[in-house]
Structure formats: structure tokens, C-alpha cells
Amino acid sequence: MNISSNLRSLSASEKEMLEGNGCTCLDWGRIRVTTDFDPSSISNSGFSGDIILGCMKGSRTLGSGFVLKEGISNASLHNCIIGNRSAIHNIRGYIANYIIGDGVTITDCGRIFTEGESSFGNGLEVAVLNESGARGVRMWDRLSSQLGYVTALYRHRSETIAAINDMTDRYCDSVKSLMGYIGDDSLVTGCSLIRNVRLGPCSVVEDSTRLDEGSVNSSREDPVYIGAGVIMEGFIVCSGTRITGAAVIRNCFIGQGCRLGRQFSAGNSLFFANCEGYHGEACSVFAGPFTVTHHKSTLLIAGMYSFMNAGSGSNQSNHLYKLGPIHQGIMERGSKTTSDSYLLWPARVGPFTLVMGRHYGNPDTSSLPFSYLVEHNNESLLVPAINLRSVGTIRDARKWPGRENRRDTILIDRVSLDMLSPYTVRKMIEGRELLRHIRDDAGENTEYCMWGNMRINRHAIDRGIELYETGIIKYLGTILVKRLEGHNPDSQTELLKILKPREDTGKGDWIDAGGMVAPSILVERLLDTIDSGETDSLDKINESFEAIYDSCTEREWEWVAARLEEEEGKYIAEFTASDILRIVEKWKKAVVSLDYKLYEDAMKEFTLSAKTGFGIDGDEEVKRLDFAAVRGSFEENPFVASILDHIREKREQGDDLTARMKKLAGLD
């Protein structure tokens, strides 16, 4: 807002003109105006309390081409500051206790008011994961998925949680006000009720039913849009988000770049970057980045998700009808549910796992990622590692960068997009060893094994070990090749200098903290600084998470180097060019092997059965032609082509590194 501090009272002629335009005021002496104020811009309006009016004498053209005059008409205002270039027309109720910025348009609305002192959604506690509130997270304007993760999940660190809550209280005190705010160049039209709401610059709120107690943190770079029929009570909405289609939101934090609409309803939930919710329902959900639910009959309840796609009719249950809805579930990154799936909490589903059917045995597949969890003859059947060869898994992972909606200059959530990382590959290593242990315990002649209320076929165990082994080699080799990229060492000493990790911080366990994959020790160190008081504000916590995120490329090599030592049985300091050559050859075989499995999986989409329903009134040739016209040929499919390109690219990378290492080893 750019209203001059040099305000003045109305002149007698201005007061007379306002009265002639049908305006009334309980006390004209409490109205102050800018030096260039034009009373002709105000008509048929009533004023009470303290009023400040800016200059409003131009016009603007709306998106439809309609020209709207600046000024105030047919409105009642109480205790308001109205910025320059504003246009306020046809307010059926009143606007009270609001600061309205420059260039704001407000038309055809009911009541817009602030009642009492408000922190505008800041400090409201969200009963996430546990409906009883035992994992409650207090909202604030820049709540990150990382801070939300720690607050909800690290209840064993009571001092840390108390310190975070104290910081949140201090932040809430800093934003409390008796006045609401509508930021510069915002548009508010057709809204029935807005109470105790703060709107950031360039907000657009059209035909919403009710916004009550919250913040819309729009920005000029990435505005927020709230559309028709939306009802929100107790909320914070971050930049770039669109909420439309009569969505009903209660006690929710909605992060940057989210899309909610089509009658979607949510209560006591946290939605972080780029989540999408349509038609269905969410209750006490921690929706990490890229959580997607699109179907009417889908209920997400008391669960933690990220990079997740919920199939139609997906459902969970968070109580056993004994002590109430106190149970929780965790579906780790990249997991999916098929239509009509069901999980009885408590349960934990490992990364990139596909859940099909109904599961009542409280499964825990966290150490067996990339699996299928399937209902078969009323049992839970686990097929380990099979998703590593699924073209659908790779396609999903490649979609996420394209679904990045955030355009703000400041991103709140730190998001790790890679499918293979120290977090997922550590679990693959655990899974490989676990499957070997299950196989050895079962004996040679066992057709299937029982593990954790799940059945695993013997053949699936052997195949799972092989797939995990291939995936581990692929990842470790990829990072090794990347480490040596652009280097042409001419001695063993120079080679070891390149390979030597700078530190050992990253060599331990990694966690997925709300969509950010990072070394556990770095997160623990940050939490220690919170306990000690060294980190004493919420913004400093977010900055520290950002610093951890920025350091992860180097930390990743530290982890990979430690795993290569374990896999090869020798220290990095002892690696030679011959060792690199051997690892690269294994890596090329692993990459090509997995890519060809993906290629074969993609081919299933072009089989005869996939053509069912095509060429409806013709013979087989018409069916073939119709299918080709709609779906294209297998060879021309963009995803299939990308697989072949990937094979070619990795072979070239491997051949290039092989040539350099042969030269170093004197084998060229």
C-alpha cells in the first residue's frame, strides 16, 4: 500500500459533495483522505469509525473487457483503510476493520470483517495422523513439510516439540491484529462472507461461500485463486495454490502449488507442495509433496503420504473399535493404491509399493520397497521388488518434475525427486538381506513363506533378491560415474583424490523428512540446536533445512562411497582403475537389464488384448488401424523411445569412463 502519511481531513466542499452523492457518515471528522482525494468517486455509501481513503479516480478493464470505475459505491465501511486505485462496489452487508491495499477490486460481496484480535489461522493446531490430537501440528504462514514432519513424528523429543511450539506462539503474537488485510491488486468478487482473513497481494477470490479465520499467502509472482462455492474455516493457504469447485476445508494447512476442488473435503490435514485433491475426502492426513487423490469414493484418513497416487475407492481405517480412532498409517514415497484398496491401520507400506485389494493384517513392508502388496484368497501376498521392472513406476517418477506448480521466488518445501536415493537404496539393501534370511530359514522345498502376516512365494523371493541386487548396482554405479564425469585422472593418486569423500557425515542412515531425503544425523543436529536455543525462530529452522538440502549432493557421494566399500570389500582409498572398470561393467549390465525389463513391460500395452474395444465395427485390420490412430505404434511411443535413448546414453557414458580408466590402468 502506498498511501501517503500526509493525510488530511475532508474539506467542507468535499463533505457537501459526498452527501450530495448519497453518502452518510456518523462522524465526518473521523474520515481522513490523501491530498489528491476525489470525492466524486464515492457514492451511495455509509461510513463509521476511523476511515482513511486514498485516491480513486481512474478505471480498469477486467478480463472480460468490462470497464470498472475506481471508487466506492453502494457500500458500508467501518474502521477501514482504503488504498489508492481501489474499486469497491455493491457490498450487500459491510466491510469492517480492514486494511485494503492499492489497486484492490471488491464487488458484489456480503460481509467482509475482522472480529476481535486474530492471528489469521496461525497457531491453530491440526490433529494430523492421530485424530485425538496427540500429534498436533500448529500452523504458521511458512510451515514447511520438513518442520511439519518433525513436529508430527518426533514426539520422542519432547523438548524439541516444546521449543517449536514456543517459537510458533511467538510468531502468532507477532502477526495478531484487530485489522484484516487485503493485499495490493487483489480481486474479491461475489463472496458471501469473509471473516478474520488476511489476503496477500494479487489474491483472487471469486464467488466463494465462506472464508473464516485464515491466511491466503498469495504473492505477485505466484497468486492464489479461490473459486466458486468454496468453504474454508481455520486455514492457511500458500502461494500458487488453486482451490475451486465447492471444496470444503476445515483446519488445514495448504502448501505452495496445490490444487484442491471438485467437491473435495478435508479436515485437520496438512497438504504440502504440489498436492492435488479432487472429489474425495481427507481426514487427519499428512499429505507430503505430490500426494494426489482424484476420485469421489476415495478416503484418505490418518495417514502419511508423499508422491502418492490414490486409486478410486481407496480407503483406510484408523481404529479397531476399541479405544477409538488412535491408529495411524504410513505409505512411504511413491506408493500407489488401486481401485477399492483397503488398509487397516496401523500399517506401514514401503517406498514405491503398489497396494491392491483389502489388507487387515497390519502389514509392514518398509524394508521391502518397490513391491506389490496384493490380496489373494483373503490373504496379503507380497511380491518383493517387482515394481523395479514396472514401466508405470518409472513413468510416475518422470511425471513429478512436470507437475511442479510452484512459481514463487521463495520455495518453502525442499523436495527430493529422485526415485533411487540413499533412502530407497538403503531399504533395497535391507530388503535383499531380509529376503535371503527368509529364504534360508524356509529351506529348499518350501513353496511359500509367511512373514509379518504376509505370504511370499519362493519364486518371488529369488526374483526379488535378483531385482534388488540389480537396482543397487545400477544406483551405486550411476553415482560413481557421475562422480568421475568430466575428470581424466592421469595417476592413481589423482583418482583417489577425486573419489575421496570430503567428510563422513552422509555415510549413515538417511531419512525421508516430508519429501526431502537427507542424512539422519544432520536432521538430529538441527534438532539439537533447537533444544539448546541456538536455533530460536521458525524461519531459522526452515533455513537450516534448506542448507541440509543444498548439501545433499556431496553427502550422497559419502553414502555411496561407504556402500561401495561394503559391496566391494575394500576401502575407497584402495580402489584402482581396474576396480572402477569392473564396477562400470556391472553397472552397464544392470542398467541395460532393468531398462529392457521396462521395455518388455511397456510392450504389454500394445498386445492384442490391449486392443480390445478398438475398431468397433470392423475386422482385425480395422482394429489395428484404429489402435494405431489413437495410441500410436510401440516403436514411436515417446516413453518407449526414451527407454532406448536411456540405454544408449548410459552405454556411451560407461564406454567413455571405461576408456579413461583403461588409459589410467595402462590397458588401452
Side-chain angles (χ1 to χ4, degrees):
M1 176 178 287
N2 192 28
I3 287 186
S4 170
S5 58
N6 187 20
L7 298 170
R8 61 177 176 82
S9 299
L10 289 168
S11 67
S13 61
E14 288 172 332
K15 173 186 171 183
E16 183 178 348
M17 181 177 289
L18 288 170
E19 289 178 333
N21 290 343
C23 296
T24 62
C25 183
L26 294 178
D27 184 351
W28 291 106
R30 295 179 70 176
I31 294 181
R32 291 179 296 161
V33 297
T34 56
T35 53
D36 51 358
F37 170 72
D38 181 2
S40 67
S41 64
I42 301 178
S43 62
N44 299 320
S45 297
F47 302 95
S48 61
D50 294 314
I51 301 290
I52 295 177
L53 300 174
C55 178
M56 297 168 278
K57 54 186 177 183
S59 62
R60 70 195 54 166
T61 303
L62 302 183
S64 59
F66 177 75
V67 177
L68 182 70
K69 286 186 62 177
E70 294 173 3
I72 303 172
S73 67
N74 304 316
S76 297
L77 277 66
H78 172 76
N79 281 341
C80 287
I81 299 173
I82 311 298
N84 297 317
R85 300 181 292 103
S86 291
I88 302 174
H89 302 294
N90 302 323
I91 307 302
R92 299 184 302 277
Y94 55 83
I95 301 176
N97 305 318
Y98 256 84
I99 300 170
I100 296 172
D102 295 336
V104 171
T105 300
I106 305 176
T107 62
D108 302 301
C109 290
R111 292 179 294 155
I112 302 173
F113 64 101
T114 301
E115 190 172 46
E117 189 177 52
S118 175
S119 57
F120 309 101
N122 287 277
L124 294 178
E125 187 164 275
V126 179
V128 69
L129 288 175
N130 186 308
E131 281 192 90
S132 69
R135 294 193 182 275
V137 175
R138 297 186 191 178
M139 294 191 289
W140 70 288
D141 287 320
R142 292 176 294 282
L143 176 65
S144 68
S145 55
Q146 284 70 54
L147 182 54
Y149 176 87
V150 167
T151 307
L153 272 297
Y154 280 45
R155 291 296 162 147
H156 56 286
R157 297 194 58 138
S158 57
E159 291 184 12
T160 307
I161 303 305
I164 291 171
N165 286 339
D166 183 60
M167 293 179 209
T168 307
D169 289 340
R170 294 201 305 271
Y171 179 81
C172 292
D173 289 340
S174 73
V175 298
K176 280 181 180 176
S177 178
L178 296 169
M179 300 286 285
Y181 179 74
I182 299 178
D184 293 351
D185 300 309
S186 292
L187 168 66
V188 181
T189 181
C191 300
S192 298
L193 184 145
I194 297 177
R195 173 186 173 273
N196 290 8
V197 173
R198 183 180 58 189
L199 300 177
C202 301
S203 298
V204 178
V205 185
E206 291 184 322
D207 300 315
S208 298
T209 299
R210 184 168 73 253
L211 307 183
D212 193 348
E213 198 69 45
S215 293
V216 176
N217 295 325
S218 181
S219 71
R220 192 170 296 279
E221 298 79 11
D222 207 2
V224 171
Y225 179 87
I226 300 175
V230 170
I231 298 174
M232 297 201 296
E233 301 173 352
F235 61 90
I236 292 178
V237 177
C238 295
S239 62
T241 283
R242 295 177 62 87
I243 304 174
T244 59
V248 179
I249 309 297
R250 184 182 64 82
N251 223 41
C252 289
F253 179 89
I254 303 167
Q256 292 176 306
C258 291
R259 302 287 184 263
L260 305 179
R262 300 174 192 168
Q263 301 85 45
F264 183 72
S265 66
N268 278 298
S269 294
L270 306 175
F271 299 90
F272 293 104
N274 302 307
C275 286
E276 296 182 9
Y278 297 126
H279 293 302
E281 180 180 359
C283 179
S284 293
V285 161
F286 188 110
F290 293 97
T291 298
V292 174
T293 172
H294 281 180
H295 304 285
K296 283 186 177 180
S297 52
T298 296
L299 167 67
L300 301 182
I301 186 168
M304 174 173 283
Y305 317 91
S306 65
F307 301 90
M308 183 259 200
N309 195 328
S312 62
S314 295
N315 196 358
Q316 305 92 45
S317 177
N318 64 332
H319 57 84
L320 299 172
Y321 300 100
K322 293 179 181 178
L323 295 178
I326 60 174
H327 301 288
Q328 67 180 43
I330 295 175
M331 294 190 67
E332 300 188 39
R333 64 165 47 218
S335 294
K336 296 176 68 172
T337 60
T338 64
S339 297
D340 299 317
S341 72
Y342 173 86
L343 283 162
L344 178 63
W345 297 149
R348 184 169 180 175
V349 176
F352 296 95
T353 292
L354 179 67
V355 178
M356 293 179 278
R358 306 180 70 81
H359 303 275
Y360 300 92
N362 311 116
D364 182 352
T365 72
S366 54
S367 294
L368 293 166
F370 296 96
S371 298
Y372 282 3
L373 181 61
V374 184
E375 179 190 13
H376 180 69
N377 293 332
N378 297 319
E379 288 184 306
S380 292
L381 176 67
L382 187 69
V383 187
I386 195 67
N387 247 345
L388 281 169
R389 58 183 293 175
S390 169
V391 70
T393 302
I394 305 300
R395 180 175 171 271
D396 284 344
R398 292 184 183 180
K399 284 191 300 188
W400 295 324
R403 290 181 174 179
E404 174 59 77
N405 298 318
R406 296 175 295 172
R407 301 292 179 266
D408 210 326
T409 54
I410 299 174
L411 303 183
I412 299 173
D413 299 335
R414 315 320 300 177
V415 183
S416 306
L417 293 173
D418 291 338
M419 186 181 76
L420 296 181
S421 68
Y423 178 71
T424 52
V425 177
R426 172 179 63 83
K427 288 180 174 289
M428 290 164 63
I429 293 171
E430 291 175 0
R432 180 186 63 183
E433 302 311 310
L434 175 59
L435 291 178
R436 286 172 176 169
H437 177 73
I438 294 171
R439 181 186 63 185
D440 293 344
D441 284 352
E444 291 290 335
N445 299 319
T446 304
E447 182 180 350
Y448 67 87
C449 309
M450 294 301 298
W451 179 77
N453 294 328
M454 294 171 287
R455 188 178 74 172
I456 311 177
N457 289 341
R458 176 59 183 262
H459 172 69
I461 292 176
D462 293 334
R463 182 179 55 199
I465 293 170
E466 178 187 347
L467 285 170
Y468 282 145
E469 181 76 18
T470 305
I472 293 164
I473 293 170
K474 174 183 176 180
Y475 171 72
L476 298 181
T478 297
I479 304 303
L480 174 63
V481 171
K482 187 183 298 183
R483 181 74 175 186
L484 291 168
E485 194 172 22
H487 295 283
N488 193 16
D490 56 10
S491 68
Q492 175 71 13
T493 300
E494 189 175 343
L495 172 64
L496 294 180
K497 184 178 179 181
I498 297 168
L499 293 179
K500 183 181 178 180
R502 295 177 189 172
E503 300 179 22
D504 61 0
T505 306
K507 68 187 298 183
D509 286 344
W510 286 49
I511 61 173
D512 183 358
M516 181 187 78
V517 173
S520 174
I521 190 173
L522 293 183
V523 175
E524 292 290 341
R525 286 176 184 174
L526 168 57
L527 302 186
D528 288 341
T529 67
I530 294 173
D531 293 348
S532 68
E534 180 183 347
T535 300
D536 59 359
S537 77
L538 298 173
D539 281 322
K540 286 183 179 179
I541 295 175
N542 280 352
E543 290 167 5
S544 296
F545 276 121
E546 184 174 1
I548 292 172
Y549 177 83
D550 291 340
S551 75
C552 280
T553 298
E554 182 62 30
R555 304 301 182 207
E556 183 178 28
W557 171 245
E558 295 164 10
W559 188 88
V560 168
R563 300 294 82 73
L564 283 170
E565 290 177 337
E566 292 174 358
E567 296 293 316
E568 295 298 313
K570 62 191 304 185
Y571 293 114
I572 284 287
E574 300 171 337
F575 274 34
T576 65
S578 297
D579 293 319
I580 303 298
L581 284 168
R582 187 181 66 259
I583 294 170
V584 170
E585 284 305 309
K586 289 166 57 179
W587 169 73
K588 285 197 295 185
K589 290 179 182 178
V591 169
V592 172
S593 172
L594 279 180
D595 278 354
Y596 274 123
K597 287 181 171 63
L598 297 174
Y599 186 85
E600 292 166 1
D601 196 41
M603 193 179 294
K604 296 174 185 176
E605 294 287 338
F606 293 83
T607 59
L608 184 62
S609 62
K611 298 174 184 176
T612 301
F614 288 83
I616 188 168
D617 292 325
D619 57 14
E620 289 300 315
E621 178 63 11
V622 171
K623 178 187 289 188
R624 185 188 67 79
L625 292 172
D626 186 39
F627 185 89
V630 174
R631 297 277 299 276
S633 68
F634 176 70
E635 293 76 12
E636 295 173 346
N637 181 270
F639 189 83
V640 172
S642 73
I643 294 174
L644 297 177
D645 288 342
H646 188 260
I647 292 172
R648 185 164 48 252
E649 175 191 341
K650 295 306 175 184
R651 277 178 171 161
E652 290 173 357
Q653 281 184 328
D655 291 344
D656 176 65
L657 181 55
T658 295
R660 284 180 279 144
M661 291 300 103
K662 281 185 175 180
K663 181 179 178 181
L664 178 60
L667 300 174
D668 56 343

